[in-house]
Amino acid sequence: MKPCASDLLLTAIAPAIWGSTYIVTTEFLPDYSPMTVAMLRALPAGLLLLLIVRQFPAGIWWLRIFILGALNFSIFWSMLFVSAYRLPGGVAATVGAVQPLIVIFLAAAMLGNRIRPASVLAAMIGLGGVALLVLTPQAALDPVGIAAGLAGAVSMAFGTVLTRKWQPTVSLLTFTAWQLTAGGLLLMPMALLVEPTVPVPTIPNLLGLFWLGLIGAALTYILWFRGIARLDSAVVSSLGFLSRVTAVLLGWSFLGQTLTALQIVGVVLVIGSIWLGQRPNRNSTPLSREGDPASAGSKT
């Protein structure tokens, strides 16, 4: 069955919004450490959702949720921000763009998915498109920043595949609440170690955290996890390229950055890679949810 257009569009909303992370972080939260920003993005949103759903994991799901929370949020976000702070945005984005390629091989190893040449080609085209979008000849290479970017890409790749593999019987809202809360709790000691005294937030700081937490985390990850459950892993990960397109367009629209002919070509390549990436997966079907509802969560 061909991937449903509505599933693709709803899932694509998430990375499109994530593209605003770069401009929001630099413009609204310049005085906060990467670890603090990551923690303040995850934990308040997760706790708010947890108050709404009032449901906790049970049994093996405690371990699984903390693994997923670490991969999808704690490790990924902290490495993302370290990379963004230490590297020019173009280099950081290009390094992170290897994630869809990693997902293809991880899904083959862990889910038994067939490695399709078209999917690999699409991931490489998308990577090239991102490079055209964001790289400049003056881009500096910082070893720590590069390592952080690669670590973040690997972390999210594992998180994407394991989220596909471990599908609970609870609602997407509950699943997202669990992961955000777990990810935020794991980030807290690191954030306090790096920045023992959190700066007193200003109105712009609060607006930035509101956007990153409630919109850029709670809402988008509900859509993202929904997509992972319904679409092939390679299709979902290829949609992540859209975050770079959004970041470039926002910089052009609000920061007066230029949009060159090569960047326009990059946009076309990214869109083309997403189209190509979902073509060979037209026969993929959603995973059935595993386990019994009672084994996945418990009401408080």
Side-chain angles (χ1 to χ4, degrees):
M1 182 176 63
K2 187 176 180 179
C4 178
S6 62
D7 290 336
L8 287 169
L9 290 173
L10 285 173
T11 308
I13 291 173
I17 291 177
W18 294 339
S20 66
T21 300
Y22 305 105
I23 190 171
V24 171
T25 302
T26 56
E27 298 299 311
F28 290 83
L29 299 163
D31 299 324
Y32 285 72
S33 74
M35 293 295 182
T36 300
V37 172
M39 185 269 290
L40 291 176
R41 184 182 182 186
L43 188 56
L47 291 175
L48 177 61
L49 293 182
L50 205 57
L51 285 174
I52 295 173
V53 300
R54 297 176 59 81
Q55 188 172 6
F56 293 117
I60 189 63
W61 279 101
W62 280 106
L63 175 61
R64 289 181 175 181
I65 285 302
F66 273 92
I67 291 174
L68 292 175
L71 292 171
N72 285 323
F73 299 106
S74 306
I75 300 174
F76 172 61
W77 278 356
S78 59
M79 293 299 99
L80 172 69
F81 283 115
V82 169
S83 177
Y85 274 82
R86 295 187 67 98
L87 293 171
V91 179
T94 303
V95 172
V98 303
Q99 183 255 332
L101 196 59
I102 298 171
V103 165
I104 292 173
F105 293 99
L106 282 181
M110 301 174 69
L111 302 178
N113 289 7
R114 184 165 60 90
I115 297 178
R116 301 176 176 89
S119 295
V120 176
L121 178 61
M124 295 179 68
I125 291 174
L127 178 58
V130 170
L132 289 177
L133 268 172
V134 295
L135 276 183
T136 64
Q138 296 78 30
L141 301 181
D142 174 76
V144 175
I146 294 291
L150 289 174
V154 171
S155 179
M156 187 175 184
F158 270 101
T160 298
V161 174
L162 285 177
T163 299
R164 171 79 172 178
K165 184 178 179 66
W166 296 336
Q167 283 292 302
T169 53
V170 297
S171 68
L172 285 168
L173 189 67
T174 302
F175 194 38
T176 305
W178 289 353
Q179 290 197 52
L180 280 169
T181 303
L185 289 173
L186 292 172
L187 280 167
M188 184 179 291
M190 292 185 288
L192 293 176
L193 180 65
V194 172
E195 193 172 29
T197 304
V198 178
V200 177
T202 63
I203 296 299
N205 293 157
L206 292 174
L207 290 175
L209 291 171
F210 172 84
W211 177 262
L212 291 178
L214 294 184
I215 307 299
L219 172 63
T220 56
Y221 273 93
I222 290 172
L223 297 175
W224 187 249
F225 293 147
R226 177 185 183 276
I228 289 175
R230 292 168 177 260
L231 301 169
D232 186 273
S233 298
V235 173
V236 176
S237 60
S238 70
L239 293 173
F241 289 132
L242 290 174
S243 66
R244 279 77 186 186
V245 175
T246 304
V248 169
L249 294 178
L250 287 175
W252 171 66
S253 301
F254 296 103
L255 300 181
Q257 298 174 352
T258 59
L259 189 62
T260 66
L262 282 179
Q263 287 178 308
I264 295 173
V265 172
V267 172
V268 173
L269 287 178
V270 166
I271 301 301
S273 73
I274 294 172
W275 175 82
L276 180 62
Q278 62 89 23
R279 293 284 293 172
N281 297 286
R282 58 187 178 275
N283 295 319
S284 65
T285 56
L287 289 184
S288 59
R289 294 189 180 273
E290 59 174 294
D292 180 84
S295 68
S298 58
K299 287 284 185 181
T300 59

